[in-house]
């Protein structure tokens, strides 16, 4: 875990309410896809957690959606602005669990799957992605994911790709994979785990501190209470109690 000052080098609008932000700074404590950072906003007391979409030796990329005053404020942050962030948080994905992976995402939950896909590419593996959105105009990062493997898009209204959600697509189509990695809305992860528990789930939660002190993001598992920020955010689908 490291508290670091980052400089904003990109803050780009991707859809009506989804943005991409790149931060320049020390990334040495990040070890795995699926980790997150806690960003300090100008007008908020509590930090805000964001999945790490991508990173290299000196920059981090996050994707964020306008959900309240805090994320709306972030859209106004200009290039060159300095921001305080805590990085090296959470336990991420383990790509060594699969030789033929399926990566499943819903909405803004697709964010951490991008770097995971890159990690598989480095191992010589092209994963399959099933990415779900509400409608065509909410789709983002399509070309980026296509560069990493096969991409299947689902939309709730059928305006692009398969009509329905990602879990429905899996139930209706016999995809070839040995393990899955998923991130998205809690209801999606619940029904995915009920359909098939041979995978990992990256959970979202309200995090007060980001490193396990406040217990605000606790969930029930088969092994007792666990903290999403400390023991997660990635859990085996077999252990989470929905």
């Amino acid at each position: 875990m490291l508290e670091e000052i980052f400089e904003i080098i990109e803050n780009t609008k991707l859809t009506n309410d989804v943005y991409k932000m790149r931060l320049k700074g020390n990334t040495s404590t990040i070890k795995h896809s699926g980790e997150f950072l806690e960003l300090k906003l100008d007008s908020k007391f509590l930090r805000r957690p964001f999945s790490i979409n991508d990173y290299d030796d000196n920059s981090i990329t996050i994707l964020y959606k306008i959900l309240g005053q805090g994320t709306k404020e972030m859209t106004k942050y200009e290039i060159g602005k300095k921001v305080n962030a805590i990085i090296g948080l959470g336990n991420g994905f383990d790509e060594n669990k699969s030789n033929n992976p399926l990566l499943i995402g819903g909405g803004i939950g697709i964010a951490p799957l991008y770097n995971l896909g890159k990690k598989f590419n480095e191992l010589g593996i092209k994963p399959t992605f099933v990415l779900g959105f509400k409608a065509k105009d909410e789709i983002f990062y399509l070309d980026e994911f296509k560069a990493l493997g096969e991409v299947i898009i689902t939309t709730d209204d059928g305006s692009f790709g398969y009509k329905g959600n990602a879990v429905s697509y899996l139930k209706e189509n016999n995809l070839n994979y040995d393990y899955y990695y998923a991130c998205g809305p809690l209801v999606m992860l619940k029904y995915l785990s009920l359909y098939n528990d041979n995978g990992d789930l990256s959970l979202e939660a309200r995090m007060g501190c980001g490193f396990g002190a406040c217990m605000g993001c606790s969930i029930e598992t088969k092994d007792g209470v666990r903290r999403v920020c400390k023991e997660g955010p990635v859990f085996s689908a077999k252990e989470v109690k929905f």
Side-chain angles (χ1 to χ4, degrees), residues 35-188:
E35 293 182 17
F36 67 97
L37 61 80
E38 286 266 340
L39 194 63
K40 190 177 189 309
L41 306 184
D42 292 342
S43 65
K44 300 297 178 182
F45 175 72
L46 293 178
R47 294 174 181 267
R48 295 296 190 269
F50 297 96
S51 296
I52 295 174
N53 166 248
D54 198 15
Y55 68 97
D56 56 29
D57 290 341
N58 56 21
S59 71
I60 297 173
T61 301
I62 62 172
L63 305 180
Y64 66 96
K65 183 175 183 178
I66 301 174
L67 296 173
Q69 293 181 351
T71 42
K72 187 175 182 180
E73 173 187 310
M74 288 172 60
T75 68
K76 308 299 182 183
Y77 288 0
E78 297 181 350
I79 306 303
K81 178 179 174 60
K82 302 295 197 301
V83 292
N84 181 293
I86 300 176
I87 64 172
L89 297 173
N91 294 300
F93 294 111
D94 180 1
E95 60 270 17
N96 294 311
K97 291 182 177 180
S98 176
N99 292 313
N100 184 21
L102 175 65
L103 278 57
I104 310 164
I108 196 65
I110 74 171
L113 301 182
Y114 177 69
N115 184 261
L116 178 61
K118 289 179 68 174
K119 292 290 181 63
F120 276 117
N121 276 203
E122 292 170 4
L123 296 173
I125 298 171
K126 290 284 189 179
T128 298
F129 299 90
V130 178
L131 308 177
F133 301 90
K134 290 183 179 179
K136 181 179 180 179
D137 61 1
E138 296 193 10
I139 296 172
F140 57 92
Y141 252 52
L142 179 55
D143 291 339
E144 287 84 349
F145 279 106
K146 282 184 175 180
L148 302 177
E150 180 186 0
V151 178
I152 298 159
I153 298 292
T154 75
T155 52
D156 293 348
D157 65 359
S159 54
F160 190 95
Y162 168 86
K163 183 177 182 179
N165 59 53
V167 180
S168 295
Y169 182 88
L170 294 183
K171 291 179 178 180
E172 295 178 12
N173 294 272
N174 186 27
L175 295 183
N176 179 26
Y177 62 97
D178 60 9
Y179 200 81
Y180 70 74
Y181 303 81
C183 185
L186 193 62
V187 65
M188 182 196 92

